[in-house]
């Protein structure tokens, strides 16, 4: 049941498969004879430095995957010196995640709740915990239809686990449910800009017109995402819309997630204009297999693969990549 929750997607899982399949269809075209002894993998995103262009995407319910849950994840992410986008639906409170790894670089993912006062209270907690950006998930006006979860009847957390960021009191029952509301609109983004100074990233942009509107609305960045194929099935693979979103975003930094499994996938996304990518399921698999060590293993393996793929492409820096390094197989 829990494996299916982590692995699964919406509907027939067409989009879930397409994310990996579309990346696999692209070819990398290396350059030659550009000698350089070392590579620079680091990037600065909205003022936060990351040691590599690979972030940890927000995923819910880490205590289902490993006993320490998000505490193990954040220790591994801090050791790798990259950014963890803490899920609003984490099973450890954002304050406790921050306390577990002082100096960890945290962004906070938010589903805007219809109750603005409650939403604001959560933002204040994220700010106080030291999160340096807000990632607003905008692809969920309703929860995706995940048929694996329906078949398994997985609709609530095991005893003793809760969404700790939605707590409103000290008793076990004092935790609200996340509402995915179809009423959220651009007005809410304008309101968020008034109540917080944190840079705002919109997560779940797939339409180029929305990329243009987002730039107009004064957000700091975009995350091209289809929620790992878990929201509306048959939406495009993220790598296939990335270039047009980059073109429409008016120079805003554009991140991407969905189907990134190898260093070569990271290079393809960067070549097509992403400033960085994020990993969802691979982090959960590392966590489930070996806790903190497992997440470290996933992050160090992909770092090594990015470095190796850069060498092979004749690049000294992630900034050397451009669209000429990628072509579609005939
Ligand atoms: C088990 C699971 C839980 C997720 N929970 C959240 C969440 O709480 N908030 C959110 O914005 N996205 C969530 N996502 C989506 C991820 O942030 C990300 O978009 C996606 O997993 C990337 O694709 P990948 O798993 O192929 O790397 C979740 C994804 C998975 C697989
Ligand atoms: O599972 C998810 O993809 C997700 O985003 C989520 C987050 C909180 C509650 C339910 C689903």
């Amino acid at each position: 049941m829990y494996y299916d929750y982590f692995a699964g997607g919406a509907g027939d899982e067409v989009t879930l498969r397409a994310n990996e399949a579309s990346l696999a269809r692209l070819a990398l075209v290396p350059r030659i004879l550009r000698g350089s002894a070392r590579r620079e993998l680091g990037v600065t995103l909205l003022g936060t430095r990351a040691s590599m262009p690979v972030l940890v995407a927000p995923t819910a319910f880490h205590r289902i995957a490993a006993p320490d849950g998000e505490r193990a994840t954040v220790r591994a992410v801090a050791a790798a010196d990259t950014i963890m986008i803490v899920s609003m639906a984490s099973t450890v409170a954002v304050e406790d995640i921050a306390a577990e790894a002082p100096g960890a670089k945290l962004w906070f993912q938010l589903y805007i709740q219809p109750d603005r006062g409650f939403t604001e209270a959560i933002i204040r907690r994220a700010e106080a915990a030291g999160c340096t950006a807000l990632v607003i998930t905008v692809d969920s006006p309703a929860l995706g239809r995940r048929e694996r979860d329906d078949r398994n009847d997985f609709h609530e957390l095991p005893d003793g686990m809760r969404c700790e960021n939605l707590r409103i009191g000290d008793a076990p029952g004092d935790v609200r449910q996340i509402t995915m509301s179809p009423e959220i609109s651009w007005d809410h983004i304008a309101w968020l800009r008034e109540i917080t100074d944190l840079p705002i990233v919109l997560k779940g942009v797939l339409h180029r017109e929305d990329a243009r509107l987002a730039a107009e609305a004064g957000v700091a960045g975009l995350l091209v995402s289809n929620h790992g194929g878990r929201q509306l099935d048959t939406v495009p693979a993220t790598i296939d819309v990335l270039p047009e979103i980059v073109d429409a975003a008016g120079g805003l930094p554009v991140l991407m997630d969905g189907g990134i499994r190898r260093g070569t996938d990271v290079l393809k996304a960067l070549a097509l204009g992403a400033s960085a990518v994020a990993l969802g399921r691979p982090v959960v698999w590392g966590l489930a297999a070996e806790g903190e060590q497992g997440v470290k293993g996933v992050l160090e393996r992909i770092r090594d693969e990015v470095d190796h793929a850069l060498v092979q492409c004749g690049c000294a820096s992630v900034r050397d990549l451009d669209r000429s390094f990628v072509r579609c197989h005939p």
Side-chain angles (χ1 to χ4, degrees), residues 135-155:
V135 177
I136 311 300
T137 301
V138 289
D139 61 12
S140 305
L143 185 64
R145 300 257 164 96
R146 295 131 190 214
E147 297 184 4
R148 298 197 208 197
D149 293 346
D150 294 342
R151 274 197 297 276
N152 297 330
D153 202 22
F154 175 53
H155 295 291

Side-chain angles (χ1 to χ4, degrees), residues 49-323:
R49 182 82 188 159
S51 68
M52 61 174 162
V54 181
L55 281 50
V56 171
T59 49
F61 310 157
H62 286 192
R63 286 184 60 208
I64 291 179
D68 285 358
E70 290 83 358
R71 292 178 199 274
T73 311
V74 74
R75 292 195 300 265
V77 178
D81 192 24
T82 188
I83 297 166
M84 175 171 174
I85 309 178
V86 173
S87 171
M88 177 178 183
S90 61
T91 43
V92 173
V94 62
E95 296 86 350
D96 296 336
I97 294 172
E100 185 70 23
K105 292 159 177 175
L106 305 180
W107 292 359
F108 188 80
Q109 176 268 326
L110 180 77
Y111 292 106
I112 297 171
Q113 300 298 288
D115 178 343
R116 291 194 192 207
F118 181 52
T119 306
E120 181 166 352
I122 296 171
I123 293 170
R124 297 292 169 243
R125 286 181 58 185
E127 289 173 341
C131 297
T132 56
L134 281 182
V135 177
I136 311 300
T137 301
V138 289
D139 61 12
S140 305
L143 185 64
R145 300 257 164 96
R146 295 131 190 214
E147 297 184 4
R148 298 197 208 197
D149 293 346
D150 294 342
R151 274 197 297 276
N152 297 330
D153 202 22
F154 175 53
H155 295 291
E156 58 185 55
L157 288 170
D159 276 354
M161 293 184 204
R162 281 168 280 274
C163 291
E164 294 293 340
N165 301 320
L166 282 83
R167 182 174 282 291
I168 51 174
D170 293 332
D174 293 345
V175 178
R176 291 210 202 167
Q177 298 276 325
I178 292 182
T179 300
M180 296 192 179
S181 166
E183 294 172 298
I184 304 306
S185 74
W186 289 106
D187 286 348
H188 291 84
I189 304 303
W191 168 73
L192 282 180
R193 289 194 65 218
E194 284 169 22
I195 66 160
T196 180
D197 291 330
L198 292 180
I200 292 170
V201 177
L202 297 187
K203 174 175 185 282
V205 180
L206 293 173
H207 198 299
R208 55 181 174 253
E209 185 61 12
D210 287 331
R212 199 184 61 72
L213 291 171
E216 262 179 32
V219 305
L222 305 180
L223 203 171
V224 174
S225 175
N226 52 36
H227 215 111
R230 297 161 70 82
Q231 281 299 112
L232 179 62
D233 195 25
T234 79
V235 307
T238 48
I239 195 73
D240 291 332
V241 295
L242 176 65
E244 67 196 60
I245 299 290
V246 169
D247 289 343
L252 287 181
V254 176
L255 314 189
M256 190 205 98
D257 72 25
I260 300 285
R261 302 292 178 263
R262 290 285 189 183
T264 47
D265 298 324
V266 179
L267 262 69
K268 289 170 187 178
L270 297 183
L272 294 177
S275 301
V277 300
L279 297 177
R281 293 180 185 83
V283 170
V284 174
W285 301 148
L287 183 64
E290 294 183 84
E292 175 185 352
Q293 289 309 320
V295 177
K296 275 189 185 154
V298 167
L299 294 174
E300 292 315 322
R301 204 142 40 235
I302 200 154
R303 183 203 308 283
D304 182 62
E305 289 181 2
V306 169
D307 184 67
H308 180 72
L310 281 173
V311 179
Q312 298 277 34
C313 282
C315 294
S317 157
V318 290
R319 275 168 293 280
D320 291 348
L321 293 161
D322 61 37
R323 288 181 190 181

